Each structure stands twice: as C-alpha cells, then as structure tokens.
Amino acid sequence: KFIENYKSLLDLKETEVAIKIVKDNFEKKLAKKLNLLRVSAPLFVQPQTGLNDNLTGFEKAVSFVVNESKETLEVVQSLAKWKRFALKKYDFSVGSGLYTDMNAIRPFEELDNIHSLYVDQWDWEKVINKEDRNKDYLKKVVREIYEALKETEDVISDAFPKLHQDLPDEITFISTSELA
C-alpha cells in the first residue's frame, strides 16, 4: 500500500505552495482550453435527490443530521450526476461547460501515499453535440487537457527546479485492443 522509503523532493511548506501553484495554473489553463466556467460544487446533498453517487455500490456515504430540521444529509462522494444536473440548471450551451473542485470524505478508500480519506478532486463536464461523441473529438479534448498539464508542469518546474519534468512532449493513445 504505502511506498516504502518514499521521500518528497519538497518540504512541507514547499509542498503546500506547489499544490496551490498547480491548482491555480491548471484550473485557468483547463478552463480556457475547454471553454469552462467555475461552478461551486455542493459539499453535501439530500439523499432523496439521487445526486450522490455511491461509486462502486458498496460504499456508504458519510451522513449527518441537521440539528434544527432533523434532516439527514450526505457528504458528496462523486459529482457525476450533479455535473449533468448543473449543466442543465445553469443553461450551458453546446461547446461550453463547467469545472469544479469537489471535497469529499471517503471512509472506504484504500489508504496509501496518494490516497486519503479526504478527497480534493477537480471535475468538469461539457455540453457537446451528438456528432462529437466520437474517438476523434475525444482525442482532441484529451490533447487540450494534456497541453494544460504540460504548461502547468512548466510553471511548477520553474518555481521548483528540483522537480524535474517527466511528461513527454506528446501524449500517446493506445486502444484496449492494441494493449491486448
């Protein structure tokens, strides 16, 4: 589970600064490349809305009772359903979409060096035409995301030269049949 002898290249303060640099830069670059608007995600939802996802089906959402109303609310586990709801609610048009930063508690997570009980996760969703539901369009979007990652890697390695750039210049696509 945990990587033995793991040692961060950055100290604790540098790590926090680096996280902030990465989040701010990637967020801006992704939003520009994919025509996305930031929308605040809910931290908790009413279970009866059906907006919470129970992921693989065996996880149980963290829940609590509101003191005043005695209503039970659940901490959001996934934004898959909520994102589609929000696209409609905010009336996004074709070619535009939203991105958000989800915070969640996942008590069933397998813990290791990169997984914790607390989740801080970006998520995005975009309205596309039916004819764009194809491999070529998907590859175009993946290339745009990869460009945002590469540009963010440039920024973070300028800020912290001891972090070496590892991402290749071009992204490679491999199909499942090619893998087999």
Side-chain angles (χ1 to χ4, degrees), residues 15-33:
T15 299
E16 290 297 327
V17 170
I19 289 169
K20 181 70 171 146
I21 290 171
V22 167
K23 286 186 79 169
D24 289 350
N25 279 272
F26 182 70
E27 184 174 286
K28 288 177 192 162
K29 292 173 188 319
L30 184 71
K32 186 173 183 179
K33 289 180 184 300

Side-chain angles (χ1 to χ4, degrees), residues 34-52:
L34 298 183
N35 192 27
L36 305 175
L37 173 72
R38 187 187 188 292
V39 175
S40 295
L43 181 57
F44 46 84
V45 294
Q46 298 169 311
Q48 63 272 23
T49 63
L51 292 176
N52 209 1

Side-chain angles (χ1 to χ4, degrees), residues 128-141:
I128 63 172
N129 287 311
K130 190 172 185 169
E131 56 268 15
D132 287 332
R133 294 179 185 174
N134 61 61
K135 197 185 319 183
D136 290 335
Y137 184 80
L138 177 62
K139 285 181 176 182
K140 176 185 170 293
V141 171

Side-chain angles (χ1 to χ4, degrees), residues 3-180:
I3 301 169
E4 291 189 34
N5 303 320
Y6 171 79
K7 173 114 173 69
S8 175
L9 295 174
L10 304 177
D11 67 29
L12 200 53
K13 269 189 189 173
E14 289 173 322
T15 299
E16 290 297 327
V17 170
I19 289 169
K20 181 70 171 146
I21 290 171
V22 167
K23 286 186 79 169
D24 289 350
N25 279 272
F26 182 70
E27 184 174 286
K28 288 177 192 162
K29 292 173 188 319
L30 184 71
K32 186 173 183 179
K33 289 180 184 300
L34 298 183
N35 192 27
L36 305 175
L37 173 72
R38 187 187 188 292
V39 175
S40 295
L43 181 57
F44 46 84
V45 294
Q46 298 169 311
Q48 63 272 23
T49 63
L51 292 176
N52 209 1
D53 239 340
N54 63 353
L55 305 171
T56 64
F58 75 87
E59 297 96 345
K60 182 179 179 331
V62 174
S63 63
F64 61 95
V65 176
V66 178
N67 189 41
E68 188 174 303
S69 67
K70 306 301 182 219
E71 176 182 32
T72 299
L73 298 176
E74 293 179 345
V75 174
V76 172
Q77 300 296 296
S78 165
L79 294 176
K81 294 175 185 174
W82 176 84
K83 289 181 302 182
R84 289 170 192 91
F85 168 78
L87 287 174
K88 175 102 170 109
K89 178 181 175 184
Y90 287 91
D91 196 29
F92 281 94
S93 59
V94 172
S96 67
L98 63 87
Y99 74 93
T100 193
D101 189 1
M102 178 188 83
N103 297 292
I105 300 168
R106 291 192 181 153
F108 295 95
E109 195 73 37
E110 285 194 33
L111 306 179
D112 59 27
N113 294 86
I114 59 172
H115 293 90
S116 80
L117 300 176
Y118 170 71
V119 177
D120 181 356
Q121 171 183 314
W122 281 304
D123 217 334
W124 66 276
E125 192 87 13
K126 186 173 180 174
V127 180
I128 63 172
N129 287 311
K130 190 172 185 169
E131 56 268 15
D132 287 332
R133 294 179 185 174
N134 61 61
K135 197 185 319 183
D136 290 335
Y137 184 80
L138 177 62
K139 285 181 176 182
K140 176 185 170 293
V141 171
V142 169
R143 283 188 188 98
E144 290 169 337
I145 295 168
Y146 193 73
E147 285 174 15
L149 286 170
K150 283 289 293 170
E151 291 169 13
T152 301
E153 183 184 49
D154 291 342
V155 171
I156 198 66
S157 65
D158 286 346
F160 296 96
K162 58 182 141 185
L163 297 178
H164 34 274
Q165 293 182 293
D166 291 328
L167 295 175
D169 290 335
E170 298 287 324
I171 191 161
T172 303
F173 296 94
I174 301 172
S175 71
T176 53
S177 59
E178 290 170 322
L179 274 174

